[in-house]
Amino acid sequence: MAITVKINPYSAVNARVLRAAQALGVDANYQRLLTTCWREVKVALPILDDRGELRVFEGYRVHHNGVRGPYKGGIRYHPEVDLDEVKALASLMTWKCAVVNIPFGGAKGGVTVDPKTLSERELQTLTRRFTHSLKHVIGPYHDIPAPDMGTSPKIMGWIMDAYGLLHGYSPAVVTGKPVNIGGIPERNDATGLGVAMITRGILTEHGEELTGKTVAVQGFGNVGSFSALHLSRLGAKVIAVSDVSGILVREGGLDVEALAAHVGKGGSLRDSGLGDFDSAGGKLFDLKADVLIPAALGHVIHEGNMRRIKARYIVEGANGPLTPEADAYLQSQGVIVVPDILANSGGVVGSYFEWAQNIQVQPWKGAETKLELDRFMAAALRSVTVTAKKHGLSYRDAAFTVGVERVYQAALARGH
């Protein structure tokens, strides 16, 4: 019998923040500051659908903490989006930006909708309505959205245009845009590339090489596909990937380049012919792989399946893929868990690069962007590793400690 896991994601994040804050000796008043969202916006989004019927959707934008710079965070379109989820993701963005030491605060947004059920006209109308509702909230020096689950560069382009009609040409208002209107080619795969860089780095920290290591990736969307692709290019053997349709396995290693090209053209894991397909995607957790990368939804590894995990390393490509219970259990079994606020932070670093180029009106070279990404990710891993070793902490607790310390010091410096 399947176990349904219900957990308040915002409370789960705050528990981590409080643990780090108390260990650092942060004053109780500042603990409240660090665990409180500074702004929560909920809007109704009425649109006329293609049949001429009025439909009303709910949209959210949450600002968690802005002491280190403008708010930064994606916008997701998903039928299960709610305020608690958005608050949790906004908080995670605060700590993620601090861990990788970029000058942003944490934000997140979302619309409760399945974008696959809308026509392109309906989707664009909804996006423009959402942007208009947030016209007083977002801005190049105030709050910079980006793509997330269910959104895309095209949708970011619509947001940029809708905002520009009100405030003038402002490419820096969003990141993850199409390249021909101020986006950068490297932003699209920055999260997945960052996951690969962190995976390589964590193995090196433990005296191991990435070459030849077996990897299983849950989720083959933007993060999962690029994680698999870059890990394969770095010498790892990706033996399985999964998505909502099922799992594709090849013990000798998948041809990830061919698979990514196939899916990119509209194909599926099922019809790829590149491995053994099984519609039971949950079987991914039963595989014996050196590295498991959950890169889909939150809380997919929980009390009901955590004992099935055989990987020695878990690198979180998704936000919050492990429940607190699963996290504690797996670490008690000696599994090295690299938390989301470190592992998948390549996306926001790539967004920072795009934003900086838009502000400067000065494009960088692609090679420079990737070298800078590697430098930021390596520095973040180093700071977390040093903290973990110094205080005997897990990587998750160490990452939150680094992030909380930086945000706390910025709050003190600003006289909050």
Side-chain angles (χ1 to χ4, degrees):
M1 182 177 179
I3 294 178
T4 301
V5 178
K6 293 184 178 180
I7 185 170
N8 185 302
Y10 185 52
S11 297
V13 174
N14 275 344
R16 296 289 183 184
V17 175
L18 287 172
R19 182 186 299 183
Q22 290 161 5
L24 289 165
V26 173
D27 178 85
N29 290 322
Y30 278 96
Q31 290 180 32
R32 284 192 287 272
L33 181 75
L34 298 176
T35 54
T36 301
C37 291
W38 290 13
R39 174 182 284 167
E40 300 172 21
V41 177
K42 179 182 177 182
V43 294
L45 304 171
I47 69 166
L48 287 176
D49 66 18
D50 290 342
R51 296 169 296 182
E53 296 181 4
L54 184 67
R55 300 176 64 184
V56 182
F57 299 90
E58 289 186 347
Y60 306 92
R61 189 69 178 172
V62 171
H63 293 166
H64 176 259
N65 188 295
V67 298
R68 300 187 74 252
Y71 297 101
K72 189 80 187 74
I75 291 175
R76 61 174 48 185
Y77 289 175
H78 192 274
E80 296 181 9
V81 165
D82 62 23
L83 184 58
D84 278 331
E85 179 190 51
V86 176
K87 288 166 64 176
L89 294 170
S91 180
L92 285 173
M93 284 301 301
T94 295
W95 316 119
K96 189 179 299 185
C97 292
V99 167
V100 291
N101 209 16
I102 55 176
F104 287 139
K108 207 72 176 185
V111 177
T112 310
V113 61
D114 182 353
K116 295 177 183 177
T117 65
L118 301 184
S119 68
E120 182 163 316
R121 188 204 67 81
E122 292 169 334
L123 193 60
Q124 183 170 171
T125 301
L126 178 64
T127 299
R128 290 181 179 276
R129 171 69 72 172
F130 190 36
T131 306
H132 191 270
S133 297
L134 299 179
K135 63 182 182 294
H136 63 294
V137 172
I138 63 174
Y141 292 100
H142 187 55
D143 177 7
I144 306 104
D148 200 282
M149 186 184 303
T151 57
S152 64
K154 178 183 285 187
I155 290 174
M156 296 305 107
W158 295 338
I159 292 175
M160 172 187 156
D161 185 66
Y163 181 86
L165 292 174
L166 297 169
H167 300 283
Y169 182 66
S170 307
V173 71
V174 291
T175 56
K177 305 176 294 294
V179 174
N180 56 3
I181 55 171
I184 60 173
E186 299 78 21
R187 172 60 184 86
N188 194 40
D189 67 338
T191 307
L193 178 56
V195 169
M197 290 172 171
I198 290 295
T199 302
R200 178 186 59 190
I202 202 70
L203 286 166
T204 300
E205 288 287 342
H206 288 81
E208 300 188 54
E209 294 288 333
L210 178 60
T211 301
K213 291 293 186 297
T214 54
V215 178
V217 181
Q218 190 228 8
F220 204 66
N222 178 275
V223 178
S225 63
F226 280 113
S227 296
L229 197 59
H230 286 295
L231 283 166
S232 178
R233 289 172 179 173
L234 290 171
K237 184 190 297 183
V238 179
I239 61 169
V241 299
S242 70
D243 62 14
V244 293
S245 69
I247 177 174
L248 188 69
V249 181
R250 187 170 183 273
E251 291 186 6
L254 293 165
D255 185 340
V256 184
E257 300 275 356
L259 182 60
H262 173 76
V263 172
K265 293 176 182 177
S268 66
L269 300 187
R270 181 188 297 273
D271 63 17
S272 69
L274 295 170
D276 298 320
F277 180 82
D278 192 316
S279 59
K283 290 183 177 179
L284 184 90
F285 297 135
D286 297 316
L287 296 177
K288 187 175 183 180
D290 296 307
V291 181
L292 170 62
I293 298 177
L297 296 170
H299 296 159
V300 294
I301 300 176
H302 48 74
E303 193 174 3
N305 60 18
M306 62 190 186
R307 291 172 180 80
R308 292 160 48 194
I309 304 296
K310 299 180 178 65
R312 297 184 295 118
Y313 295 86
I314 296 178
V315 183
E316 295 185 333
N319 290 315
L322 276 66
T323 65
E325 293 80 9
D327 190 31
Y329 169 77
L330 289 165
Q331 292 194 51
S332 74
Q333 300 301 302
V335 178
I336 304 299
V337 180
V338 186
D340 46 11
I341 62 171
L342 171 61
N344 68 22
S345 59
V348 74
V349 176
S351 280
Y352 169 55
F353 295 162
E354 180 179 333
W355 176 81
Q357 291 174 64
N358 292 159
I359 293 293
Q360 297 165 0
V361 198
Q362 178 63 50
W364 304 355
K365 294 179 181 179
E368 293 174 340
T369 302
K370 290 186 176 179
L371 283 172
E372 282 294 289
L373 178 62
D374 199 12
R375 183 173 71 84
F376 271 79
M377 300 305 290
L381 177 59
R382 187 162 52 250
S383 64
V384 171
T385 299
V386 167
T387 300
K389 291 180 178 178
K390 181 179 179 180
H391 300 288
L393 300 173
S394 69
Y395 283 99
R396 190 182 308 280
D397 286 340
F400 272 98
T401 299
V402 170
V404 168
E405 172 71 8
R406 287 173 177 170
V407 173
Y408 174 52
Q409 292 300 328
L412 289 175
R414 292 181 62 160
H416 282 240

